[in-house]
Structures are given as structure tokens and as C-alpha cells.
Amino acid sequence: MNEHPVQLVVDDDLQRNRLTVFFRLLLAIPHFVWVFLWSIAVVFAAIANWVATLASGTPPAGLHRFMCKYIRYVSHLNAYIWLVANPYPGFVGEEGDYPVDVKLPPPAEQDRLKTLVLIILAIPALLVSATLGGAGSLRVPYRGTYGRYGGGANGALAGVCSVLGWFAILVRGRMPKGLRDAGAYSVGYTAQMLAYVLLVTDRYPNADPTAMLVTVPRPPQHPVYLVGDAHDLRHSRVLVFFRLPLAIPHLVWLALWTIAAVIVGILNWFATLFSGTPARGFHRFLAAYVRYSLHVSSFIYLAANPFPGFTGEQGRYPLDVVLPEPQRQNRWVTGFRFILAIPAFLVNSALGSALFVAAVLTWFVALGTGSAPWGLRNLSAYALRYGAQVNAYLFLLTEQYPHASPLEGADEPQESYDEVA
């Protein structure tokens, strides 16, 4: 896949000033006023740019520069508000003067037919952008049959991560890398969406996190991670069209298994508190449940195509999860496990919205083409991976906290995580 013409550049500085973070929203008030006024001007400029591009096939150079400055400024402001970057941003959207920046392409010829129906074509990208960076509400995560992997979740990802990061920074003076990476991903996708809507480029936004965060170092490998055939995007149109009816037996079985998993999870909690290590039989049962939950969610949300089995057997589904063997765990962390997991529940809730939108969009695309879009599939895999890590943490399959970074972990073994989420 060719590199997207809108590229996000992120430095790796996680240090934050506690004082400016504490007053971040108050300090940003002048920017809120300025971006509001600038956005009004952009609406009129966008209409003129649309008409000119329809007439000539290429956006006028002056309007193109104006749009690029606006997109860059919005990206700087988003990075500042969402705690992805620390310095106070400028007001003019200059390239290269902020730690989180956006590289934008020069004016180029664009397809007139696509330009004509631009707003309709942009609707899917606007929906994805709303789940990543839009104004969402921080509600308690949905706890339905498969709610830990999404469905009914609320809250935009960047907003949730910035709130959690705010507390973490006040305590530690630095932004957790996972939360920073998730916020940077939201900044980048928002920039690509704006560039498409404002005719800076006719290249559609790419939801693939790995393509978005090419300048960001990968985190260490988490002990809970996904494996499978990443390049097989083929989908049977019949299975796609009847996906929800076909999933009914799995939803019933998963609901029953969830009841048993909760009971076994409580017993495992007492056993781990007493011995310091999860009971091997409980661990095996809960690992199969977490794996089965991932298989079912992957099927329902169109991250994988085949009909899954009912046993959660390892290696029997195209998208699978690796889980660690029972290991000794800190009793204090075990005792307060559910309370400690609340930040992860909130991040998972926000990712659930993105997962749901990605699944709906994938359903339409797969019906037409017989294949899932690469970017949406990788966004879904990110949400599913985090959901599996949350379940594994909650059921004491691992002591490592879920890592919110959209990037796959590096191959080197993990030593420790000092993340909030």
C-alpha cells in the first residue's frame, strides 16, 4: 500500500509539566476562541475551494495553503488538549514548529466526480473520526454478553485517554505511552479526515494505526497479543450478509459461559489471594473463555471470516490470542484488581465505539467487494486486542496492565509496564 500523503510526525517526549497540565483547558481558552473564528472562515473557503476544484480539477494554490495551515493548527491544538504534546501551540499552523506535526501534500489534480459527491463519500471517515476524537461521554462500559469487546460503548478514544492521562501526569509528571499513542492516532486520523473533506488530498483517510504512527516507537510486547493470518481479508458475502443470525448460537453459548467464567473468576481471585498464583485448572478454563470471546467477537465484528468453534481452542481460528501460563502475582494488586481495571474499562469502552463503526462499515464494503478494508480491519484488531488484554487482566490470567497503544508490541520480551492504561 502506498504511503498516505498526509503524514503524522510525533516526537517521543512523554514528560509533561504538571502546572500547565492542571490548567490545560483554561490555558487553551484563547485557542478555543481562535479555532472557532477560523473554522467559520474555513466553511466559506471550503465552499469556494469545492467550486474551484469542480471547475478546474485542481484546488487553487492560495486556498490550498489556507486549508493546510488550518489542518496543521487543528492538529497542534488537538495534540495540546489531548495531552499528546506538552508545549503551548502557536496560532498560525506553521509546519515544523510543534512536537506533533502533520505533513501535507502540495496541490494536485483531483477527480471531479469524487469532488462532486465529496460530502457523501466522507461520511464513513467522519463516523470513524467521531469515535476516535469526537466529543464523547465518559460512561461506565457496557457489560453485555460481549460488551467487553465493544457494542454500546460511549466516549471518543482521545477524550478518554486525555482524562486518564491528566490524572497520571499529575502523579508522575509524564504521559503513559499507551495513552499518548492512542491520542496521537486520533490526531492523525482527524488530520487525514480534514485533509480529505477540505480537498487538500483526494486520498481517503487510512484507519490503519500502524500506517498512522510510523514515527512512533513500538511498545514492548504485552504477554497477551494477537496472532493469525493478518493479510487474509477475504470474506464470504453470504456469511457477511447473515452474520448476526449466524452468531445467535454463539451469543447464547457465550452468555452461559460468561456466567460460569464470573463464578470461576471469583474462585480464582480467592485462590490467587491465598497462594499468590492462579490455580492452574481455573487459569485453563478462563483462558479458553477469553480466547473463545475473542473468536466470537472477531466473527461478529467482521475482523475474521470463518464460523468459529465453541471451545476456544488455541490455533483453530484465523485471529487468535496468545495467553501466558499461570505466574505468581502481587497479592495487593490482585486484591484491588477490579478497581485498578476501571481506567482500562473506560479505554475499552471508547474503543468499543470505534469497533462497532468499523464493523458496520466493513459489512457494506465486504458485501460489495468480498474483502474487508485493510485499515478498518486493523482498527478492529486493535480494539479486539485491547479487549482481550482487559479480560486477561480482570480474570488474573496476567498481572500486566492492558496497553492502550494502537501499535503492535515489539518482539523483544517485556520487562515491565508503568502504564495507567
Side-chain angles (χ1 to χ4, degrees):
M1 182 181 294
N2 295 331
E3 185 180 81
H4 196 282
V6 178
Q7 286 291 308
L8 183 71
V9 180
V10 184
D11 73 356
D12 203 38
D13 182 15
L14 300 177
Q15 297 298 320
R16 300 290 182 266
N17 183 294
R18 289 182 174 91
L19 185 62
T20 61
V21 166
F22 187 81
F23 294 104
R24 183 64 49 113
L25 292 181
L26 289 176
L27 292 171
I29 289 176
H31 281 287
F32 292 146
V33 175
W34 178 234
V35 77
F36 174 74
L37 297 174
W38 199 343
S39 297
I40 294 174
V42 163
V43 171
F44 292 101
I47 295 172
N49 197 31
W50 181 75
V51 173
T53 306
L54 275 180
S56 66
T58 304
L63 288 174
H64 181 87
R65 281 194 303 272
F66 181 76
M67 297 303 183
C68 285
K69 285 184 174 292
Y70 174 75
I71 294 168
R72 206 173 287 116
Y73 170 68
V74 169
S75 300
H76 297 171
L77 180 57
N78 283 340
Y80 180 71
I81 294 171
W82 294 334
L83 304 176
V84 179
N86 187 55
Y88 198 76
F91 287 82
V92 294
E94 286 294 333
E95 184 177 1
D97 70 344
Y98 202 66
V100 177
D101 205 5
V102 180
K103 293 183 178 179
L104 297 163
E109 187 175 354
Q110 301 196 20
D111 185 281
R112 286 183 172 89
L113 181 58
K114 290 182 179 179
T115 302
L116 180 65
V117 294
L118 176 69
I119 296 302
I120 296 175
L121 294 175
I123 290 175
L126 291 168
L127 291 174
V128 174
S129 180
T131 66
L132 297 179
S137 56
L138 287 174
R139 301 188 201 172
V140 176
Y142 174 72
R143 297 298 304 278
T145 303
Y146 50 93
R148 294 189 189 93
Y149 294 113
N154 295 279
L157 179 63
V160 172
C161 290
S162 64
V163 171
L164 297 176
W166 187 85
F167 287 101
I169 292 168
L170 291 183
V171 174
R172 302 167 52 210
R174 58 186 280 117
M175 182 71 164
K177 176 174 170 55
L179 299 179
R180 194 288 305 271
D181 289 358
Y185 172 50
S186 303
V187 170
Y189 190 85
T190 301
Q192 289 188 1
M193 180 273 295
L194 286 174
Y196 182 75
V197 170
L198 298 177
L199 295 172
V200 170
T201 178
D202 63 354
R203 181 77 172 272
Y204 208 78
N206 183 8
D208 182 6
T210 58
M212 186 74 65
L213 302 176
V214 292
T215 64
V216 177
R218 290 191 295 165
Q221 182 71 276
H222 193 280
V224 178
Y225 59 94
L226 298 188
V227 293
D229 188 356
H231 297 283
D232 188 6
L233 302 176
R234 294 170 297 175
H235 277 270
S236 164
R237 290 180 174 88
V238 175
L239 283 180
V240 169
F241 187 81
F242 293 104
R243 184 63 51 114
L244 290 182
L246 289 171
I248 290 176
H250 279 291
L251 294 177
V252 174
W253 177 236
L254 183 58
L256 297 174
W257 200 341
T258 299
I259 296 172
V262 170
I263 296 172
V264 173
I266 294 172
L267 296 175
N268 194 37
W269 182 76
F270 281 108
T272 307
L273 273 181
F274 178 75
S275 68
T277 304
R280 185 165 292 274
F282 292 159
H283 186 279
R284 188 164 51 246
F285 178 85
L286 293 170
Y289 168 75
V290 170
R291 195 175 294 113
Y292 174 67
S293 299
L294 175 75
H295 296 171
V296 172
S297 297
S298 299
F299 179 71
I300 291 174
Y301 292 107
L302 298 166
N305 182 58
F307 192 78
F310 287 82
T311 59
E313 187 176 349
Q314 186 172 0
R316 297 297 297 272
Y317 202 65
L319 195 61
D320 205 1
V321 59
V322 173
L323 296 164
E325 291 296 314
Q327 295 177 347
R328 189 163 187 83
Q329 301 192 24
N330 184 293
R331 287 184 172 89
W332 282 104
V333 174
T334 299
F336 294 97
R337 182 64 54 98
F338 189 83
I339 296 174
L340 293 173
I342 290 175
F345 287 149
L346 294 173
V347 174
N348 197 44
S349 174
L351 280 172
S353 298
L355 178 60
F356 176 77
V357 169
V360 172
L361 298 177
T362 300
W363 189 85
F364 286 102
V365 175
L367 275 183
T369 66
S371 178
W374 176 261
L376 291 178
R377 205 299 295 270
N378 284 353
L379 170 57
S380 298
Y382 164 38
L384 291 167
R385 181 180 73 241
Y386 191 81
Q389 291 178 5
V390 172
N391 269 350
Y393 182 75
L394 182 64
F395 285 114
L396 303 174
L397 300 181
T398 179
E399 194 177 48
Q400 295 292 349
Y401 206 81
H403 199 275
S405 176
L407 297 173
E408 293 281 356
D411 295 333
E412 60 266 20
Q414 172 176 319
E415 295 179 358
S416 65
Y417 273 108
D418 59 349
E419 298 294 329
V420 171

